[in-house]
Amino acid sequence: SNKMQRVFFKIFAPPVFSGDEDKTRAAAILNTIGWSSLLIVLGILIARTIQANDVNLTEVNWILAATILAIAAVLVLGHRGYVKAGSYLFVLILWSALSYIAWAADGIRDIAFFGYTIPILIAALLIGWQGAAVLTFASVVAGWAFAYAETLQLFAPTLDTPLNFARDMTGVFILMGILIYLMITTLQSSLS
């Protein structure tokens, strides 16, 4: 039981890099966001699979599964010391997955479009304001592209049921809450 606890702790605990406080702090944030995102996306995937009433069920489920595997890879990178690379990869993966889901589903009306706030906040936390600015710009461009594509009738939105919308939005709000908490505690610790 003691050995199981050590293995469990080793998997979930953030890595510590002696002598590098910034890297350790970034790794802790990446670890928290990584595990939170992984578990929330897994929860949404399981709920979608059980309900099985989504118009874009299979396509979006494959993207969610791929995203879970990609986040796991990012967590491994962070633990191995590649915190910066892991951070860039994480933000890129999340933004790309959200873009694909929005395109496959309801475009600018999809929860994935609202979800763009998550990689923007993560970029602000882990990469800096430049990363957040680039993603903000990319998200605005994507929004206009979705709107334009729908205007040209390149795709027709298939609006989600209210309960599915609420389920997915719950995941977005929980992640945003965690990110805001991390931002505040990071600011407080750097002030003190």
Side-chain angles (χ1 to χ4, degrees):
S1 147
N2 215 352
K3 191 175 186 225
M4 274 295 285
Q5 281 178 322
R6 277 201 305 273
V7 169
F8 186 80
F9 187 75
K10 196 174 176 179
I11 291 171
F12 289 101
V16 176
F17 304 102
S18 53
D20 198 338
E21 213 175 290
D22 280 344
K23 191 175 183 178
T24 299
R25 181 191 55 78
I29 292 169
L30 181 64
N31 195 59
T32 303
I33 299 168
W35 279 112
S36 305
S37 312
L38 192 144
L39 294 172
I40 289 168
V41 174
L42 184 64
I44 290 172
L45 177 63
I46 291 167
R48 287 172 57 84
T49 307
I50 291 169
Q51 289 173 307
N53 63 349
D54 200 283
V55 191
N56 311 90
L57 185 74
T58 317
E59 198 175 7
V60 173
N61 278 10
W62 275 108
I63 292 295
L64 293 176
T67 304
I68 291 166
L69 291 174
I71 294 170
V74 165
L75 285 165
V76 170
L77 279 175
H79 274 268
R80 296 244 165 105
Y82 303 103
V83 179
K84 211 56 166 166
S87 300
Y88 279 98
L89 190 64
F90 189 37
V91 165
L92 195 68
I93 287 163
L94 277 184
W95 195 89
S96 302
L98 288 167
S99 299
Y100 186 84
I101 291 169
W103 181 261
D106 305 327
I108 201 159
R109 293 181 179 84
D110 198 77
I111 285 185
F113 182 71
F114 300 108
Y116 276 157
T117 50
I118 292 167
I120 291 169
L121 288 173
I122 293 171
L125 262 170
L126 292 172
I127 298 166
W129 69 266
Q130 301 94 330
V134 167
L135 276 190
T136 301
F137 179 75
S139 300
V140 169
V141 170
W144 282 98
F146 292 143
Y148 195 65
E150 191 183 324
T151 306
L152 293 176
Q153 292 173 338
L154 294 177
F155 71 89
T158 50
L159 284 182
D160 225 344
T161 67
L163 292 174
N164 287 358
F165 193 87
R167 172 202 65 207
D168 295 348
M169 214 55 204
T170 300
V172 170
F173 280 138
I174 290 170
L175 264 177
M176 283 176 64
I178 292 167
L179 289 167
I180 291 166
Y181 167 79
L182 287 169
M183 286 182 142
I184 291 168
T185 52
T186 304
L187 281 171
Q188 284 173 337
S189 68
S190 63
L191 284 171
S192 63

